[in-house]
Amino acid sequence: MNNLIVKNASQVVTCSGFAGKRGKEMSDLQVIENGTVVVTGGVISHVLKEGESIPINPSHYKVISAEGKALLPGFVDPHTHFVFGGYREEEFAWRMRGDSYMDIMNRGGGIVNTTRATRAASEDELFAVGKQRLDAMMQLGITTVEGKSGYGLDKETELKQLRVMRRLNEEHPVDIVSTFMGAHATPAEWKGREDEFIDFNINEVMPVVKQEKLAECADIFCEKNVFTTGQSRRYLTAARKHGFKLKIHADEIVSFGGAELAAELGCLSADHLLQASDEGIRAMAQEGVVATLLPLTAFSLREEFARARTMIQNNCMVALATDFNPGSSFSASVPLLFALACIYMKMSPEEAVTAFTINSAAAVGRADKIGSIDVGKQGDLVLLKFPSYKFLPYHVGMNIVDTVIKNGKEYSEK
């Protein structure tokens, strides 16, 4: 039945709400001191303050005594590329000597390098490495993760990646929100024919992804020397007609109008945004587009961080994600994510927690089901080893997760 009581937590950090939070709202975590949470049949049934009696028979429940530990919603990672073949450690070394991300990409490295290895990998091989990566993410407190295709760049391999994610979603405790990203880069066989490659994705791949129900969202890399705003508009408009929710890689390398396009199309989220313009930020706030920021990527690429403070001050919904991928962010480190967000992006601990719970749930269209400790939501919880959420950025780079609870079932790493 997945019945569980987490009793007398020093803090129950509810992040309460059923939609993403904007601006100043991001600072209100609605913390209950010495609270208790009851999960019945995998769903949160009671959130109790100190002194309130538990209105159920505890003999039917497993009980966790959580004195001295903080309880939070399970973390939601709303931007990853975790299903891929091969690695790019050599390219990392090239970047350390001064080669830029785009320089490496333009000479056949980057995304296209991973494409070769992913095409060569079998579905079972991708499943096995995907499972290992999900296991590691779960130990860090991630209970829902978004995963993108985009390392096939052909029909067969794009579908293979998405089928692997479907299998993993069925067999692994972590929930996976799958995103079709056929337009991640232009493969060698389509170079110089980018418009035709967009047509290929729209006409040949999207309908199959939809027919087989392999993805909830669609995404494109809108960037100079990748795909133009016009190509991105066409791709995403077609994706909407197929019923996909829209996401966009926007304004990562240069200010390119990606944030403005996300607002124009009403995208669920715009991601990266290192170079987003003031106008683009205001437009996203006005249209309710979640600004998903990826500090591990900026850190790994030695780039300036996205302007989180400006976005929050302009009333944006800001989310955080790891961008786990083999090139620009080969890490799903939640501890490093919190440290970078607070120390270098100047987010408060409260804003960072909101950004990786209820707002990251909003970035994958699931804020009504996950991302907060509210009655009726999935019983996805994270119990920390310390009495306060403030230890997340303070204990720099250290995993402080004591217990992960997924749909009311306990997963401990002692």
Side-chain angles (χ1 to χ4, degrees):
M1 282 291 292
N2 291 8
N3 293 342
L4 186 70
I5 299 170
V6 184
K7 189 176 180 181
N8 298 330
S10 61
Q11 293 179 335
V12 176
V13 185
T14 68
C15 304
S16 182
F18 291 80
K21 298 184 180 181
R22 301 163 170 267
K24 292 181 180 179
E25 294 175 344
M26 290 180 63
S27 296
D28 184 8
L29 296 181
Q30 300 187 43
V31 176
I32 299 171
E33 304 290 338
N34 301 312
T36 294
V37 174
V38 181
V39 180
T40 304
V43 176
I44 297 169
S45 57
H46 303 83
V47 182
L48 305 171
K49 296 178 181 177
E50 184 177 14
E52 291 184 324
S53 60
I54 300 174
I56 46 92
N57 183 351
S59 65
H60 298 132
Y61 289 72
K62 179 171 184 177
V63 179
I64 297 176
S65 294
E67 290 86 353
K69 300 174 182 178
L71 186 70
L72 285 82
F75 298 136
V76 179
D77 192 342
H79 182 131
T80 81
H81 306 254
F82 79 93
V83 174
F84 59 85
Y87 297 97
R88 293 182 0 223
E89 72 284 356
E90 195 62 44
E91 293 180 16
F92 180 85
W94 293 345
R95 285 207 312 274
M96 295 307 99
R97 75 183 188 197
D99 295 8
S100 75
Y101 179 82
M102 293 307 292
D103 285 342
I104 293 169
M105 190 170 176
N106 289 335
R107 67 173 187 251
I111 293 164
V112 176
N113 186 357
T114 298
T115 297
R116 288 190 290 269
T118 305
R119 287 178 178 180
S122 71
E123 185 172 314
D124 287 343
E125 288 169 338
L126 292 176
F127 179 89
V129 295
K131 181 181 181 301
Q132 291 170 3
R133 292 163 189 161
L134 289 176
D135 289 345
M137 290 179 193
M138 195 171 190
Q139 292 173 20
L140 294 163
I142 295 169
T143 54
T144 299
V145 64
E146 186 258 14
K148 304 178 192 293
S149 68
Y151 289 132
L153 306 181
D154 61 12
K155 184 175 180 179
E156 178 184 352
T157 316
E158 289 293 305
L159 296 175
K160 178 172 65 176
Q161 280 189 274
L162 293 169
R163 287 169 182 150
V164 166
M165 282 186 263
R166 180 167 64 187
R167 279 181 61 194
L168 287 165
N169 188 47
E170 291 168 352
E171 297 184 31
H172 198 280
V174 171
D175 286 331
I176 300 166
V177 181
S178 293
T179 295
F180 168 59
M181 196 176 180
H184 195 191
T186 303
E189 61 267 28
W190 290 92
K191 278 295 180 188
R193 297 187 295 140
E194 284 75 13
D195 285 326
E196 293 177 48
F197 182 60
I198 295 293
D199 289 338
F200 163 75
N201 274 286
I202 291 171
N203 298 323
E204 300 295 328
V205 192
M206 264 186 207
V208 181
V209 174
K210 182 62 179 178
Q211 182 181 357
E212 295 191 21
K213 299 179 180 178
L214 291 173
E216 296 179 34
C217 308
D219 197 346
I220 187 169
F221 194 176
C222 181
E223 187 60 68
K224 184 179 179 181
N225 298 325
V226 188
F227 296 108
T228 67
T229 53
Q231 290 163 341
S232 301
R233 182 183 290 107
R234 192 154 60 86
Y235 175 92
L236 291 173
T237 300
R240 170 177 284 145
K241 289 178 181 176
H242 282 291
F244 295 109
K245 298 169 185 175
L246 306 185
K247 300 172 80 68
I248 184 171
H249 283 51
D251 301 319
E252 179 182 6
I253 311 298
V254 299
S255 185
F256 199 61
E260 291 88 337
L261 180 62
E264 173 194 326
L265 296 176
C267 289
L268 193 61
S269 73
D271 302 20
H272 285 293
L273 301 170
L274 276 64
Q275 304 297 331
S277 68
D278 291 345
E279 181 181 343
I281 291 169
R282 287 191 293 268
M284 286 192 300
Q286 184 173 337
E287 298 301 325
V289 178
V290 180
T292 300
L293 309 184
L294 317 174
L296 295 174
T297 309
F299 178 72
S300 296
L301 295 177
R302 293 175 171 167
E303 298 287 349
E304 291 293 320
F305 291 88
R307 295 186 290 156
R309 285 258 54 82
T310 300
M311 294 176 192
I312 293 169
Q313 288 162 3
N314 276 273
N315 212 35
C316 271
M317 280 184 283
V318 172
L320 290 168
T322 66
D323 193 21
F324 180 76
N325 74 79
S328 58
S329 177
F330 187 46
S331 176
S333 175
V334 173
L336 184 56
L337 177 79
F338 275 107
L340 293 175
C342 294
I343 297 169
Y344 287 101
M345 294 172 67
K346 302 178 182 177
M347 297 175 74
S348 69
E350 294 76 18
E351 290 166 343
V353 168
T354 296
F356 205 50
T357 54
I358 188 64
N359 280 12
S360 50
V364 293
R366 295 195 181 181
D368 59 331
K369 298 179 178 68
I370 57 174
S372 68
I373 301 177
D374 282 302
V375 171
K377 288 201 174 184
Q378 286 180 201
D380 296 355
L381 308 167
V382 174
L383 191 63
L384 304 183
K385 297 174 182 176
F386 291 96
S388 169
Y389 66 86
K390 292 177 182 176
F391 281 80
L392 285 164
Y394 165 57
H395 201 23
V396 176
M398 302 297 289
N399 184 18
I400 63 169
V401 171
D402 177 89
T403 303
V404 177
I405 297 160
K406 180 63 182 172
N407 294 318
K409 185 176 179 182
E410 177 185 11
Y411 297 85
S412 296
E413 276 296 315
K414 300 299 184 185

